Amino acid sequence: MAGDSQQALARDAVCLLDVPTHKTGTAFTKPVDPILGQAVDAWQAARPDQPKFTDRRTGELVDPLFAVRARRVSTSYINNTIIPMLCRKAGVPAADVRGNITSHRARSTIASQLYNAKEPMTLFELQAWLGHRSPQSTQYYTKITPNTLSKAYSEAGYFERNVRTIELLVDRDAVASGAAAAGEPWQRYDLGHGYCSYTFFEQCQHRMACARCDFYRPKASSKGQLLEAKENLQKMLVAIPLTDDERAAVDDGQAALNQLLERLADAPTPAGPTPRQIGVPATATLLPIVNVTASPRERDPGGPC
């Protein structure tokens, strides 16, 4: 086991277990936890010497691990007697929703744990560890846990890629005085060059390239300066989900923005007129992005997937 190898990894971190020819493959050696090696060593020390047995698959004389009184310990005895006895001794149930706990279930559980570990084994590494001839056999053991699936979904960054945040100014005076209930604008989205008072801003088709309709107030205007002079303004960040075209305008720059502007030229603004009717400049200013949260894969496109 661990002492049989001079390699640092095998000596310090794992034991190397020799597995004989079996139903799914030929003989091979695989790393296992040192606790297993210690248990095997303890059993071999306590077990009386046994004669060698003829391997029914290869015809060779072998020394089975589980043998006593010159007889092999059968799989059915291990599954039906030894494992239930160990479960009782450990205070754990001998069965679960999938059925009885067996030696094969233990193999399957360990394989699934290795596949769902923090630094998981690949399918081909797990195939070698299980001793399978074909990766198709290994796939039956690679059950993805909900935690692993949730982590993969989070790292895919779907929402992070398609959501951006901009700054929102909330006029607390208008809310407190009741003016907001009477129809007075009480929230304004900061577009960098001006403010938009359209309540349903996240639904506006022109939010990424403002057409400057009646809901728009330039920062340089008197109303824009009066707004900035208010003391009771609360600044917030609001998440804005982006369409594919809008995300392209953010990620790919002016060319994608020009395509977006062309597509929206005849789309009505919240105030009614289209950008063509308003006479929006051909080089409109892109909506400012206060905070962009990208997934790890976006931050490092050349990194591992």
Side-chain angles (χ1 to χ4, degrees):
M1 305 302 289
D4 295 335
S5 175
Q6 296 303 313
Q7 297 181 14
L9 177 62
R11 184 175 64 250
D12 299 332
V14 298
C15 289
L16 297 179
L17 179 67
D18 294 328
V19 181
T21 301
H22 51 292
K23 67 178 182 180
T24 61
T26 58
F28 67 102
T29 299
K30 69 188 217 178
V32 295
D33 194 277
I35 294 177
L36 175 58
Q38 296 167 10
V40 171
D41 288 341
W43 164 243
Q44 288 180 327
R47 184 193 69 172
D49 291 337
Q50 302 295 315
K52 291 186 178 296
F53 295 80
T54 301
D55 190 308
R56 64 189 182 197
R57 293 185 178 86
T58 65
E60 299 176 347
L61 292 177
V62 296
D63 185 19
L65 178 61
F66 296 108
V68 66
R69 297 178 182 176
R71 297 182 62 184
R72 294 176 183 267
V73 178
S74 68
T75 302
S76 61
Y77 183 76
I78 293 175
N79 290 332
N80 299 328
T81 302
I82 296 180
I83 290 180
M85 178 184 65
L86 294 174
C87 289
R88 288 193 300 271
K89 186 176 181 64
V92 297
D96 59 14
V97 293
R98 294 177 58 190
N100 293 332
I101 307 300
T102 65
S103 57
H104 187 268
R105 284 284 303 282
R107 171 181 164 91
S108 175
T109 298
I110 294 173
S112 295
Q113 289 175 342
L114 292 172
Y115 189 71
N116 289 278
K118 184 177 181 180
E119 298 293 337
M121 280 186 171
T122 66
L123 179 65
F124 296 106
E125 289 170 342
L126 195 59
Q127 176 189 348
W129 191 85
L130 290 169
H132 288 157
R133 290 190 181 95
S134 168
Q136 280 73 26
S137 300
T138 309
Q139 288 178 338
Y140 289 103
Y141 295 82
T142 54
K143 303 298 183 184
I144 299 179
T145 65
N147 285 342
T148 300
L149 192 60
S150 298
K151 182 174 181 292
Y153 180 79
S154 176
E155 289 182 350
Y158 174 80
F159 290 105
E160 292 176 346
R161 290 197 307 270
N162 293 279
V163 174
R164 300 295 187 270
T165 55
I166 68 168
E167 192 170 85
L168 170 67
L169 302 182
V170 177
D171 190 342
R172 299 176 64 180
D173 284 340
V175 176
S177 65
E184 183 72 19
W186 60 277
Q187 56 183 5
R188 292 172 177 83
Y189 294 86
D190 188 345
L191 309 182
H193 47 78
Y195 299 101
C196 179
S197 60
Y198 184 50
T199 302
F200 304 102
F201 177 79
E202 70 280 357
Q203 300 177 18
C204 178
Q205 300 179 74
H206 304 274
R207 60 194 178 189
M208 294 299 295
C210 181
R212 307 189 183 188
C213 67
D214 293 343
F215 288 95
Y216 174 77
R217 290 293 179 270
K219 285 188 176 182
S221 68
S222 58
K223 289 187 177 181
Q225 292 172 352
L226 286 174
L227 176 65
E228 293 177 343
K230 285 190 175 183
E231 297 181 354
N232 205 23
L233 289 178
Q234 181 178 359
K235 294 185 177 182
M236 304 173 60
L237 292 179
V238 179
I240 303 295
L242 304 185
T243 65
D244 292 341
D245 288 339
E246 291 170 340
R247 185 182 166 199
V250 172
D251 295 340
D252 300 337
Q254 190 63 42
L257 176 58
N258 291 338
Q259 293 178 3
L260 178 62
L261 287 171
E262 184 178 350
R263 186 177 64 80
L264 295 175
D266 295 310
T269 64
T274 67
R276 195 184 304 278
Q277 293 169 336
I278 295 173
V280 64
T283 56
T285 304
L286 187 67
L287 176 68
I289 302 300
V290 176
N291 180 34
V292 178
T293 305
S295 69
R297 292 176 185 172
E298 281 195 310
R299 290 195 295 267
D300 183 16
C305 296

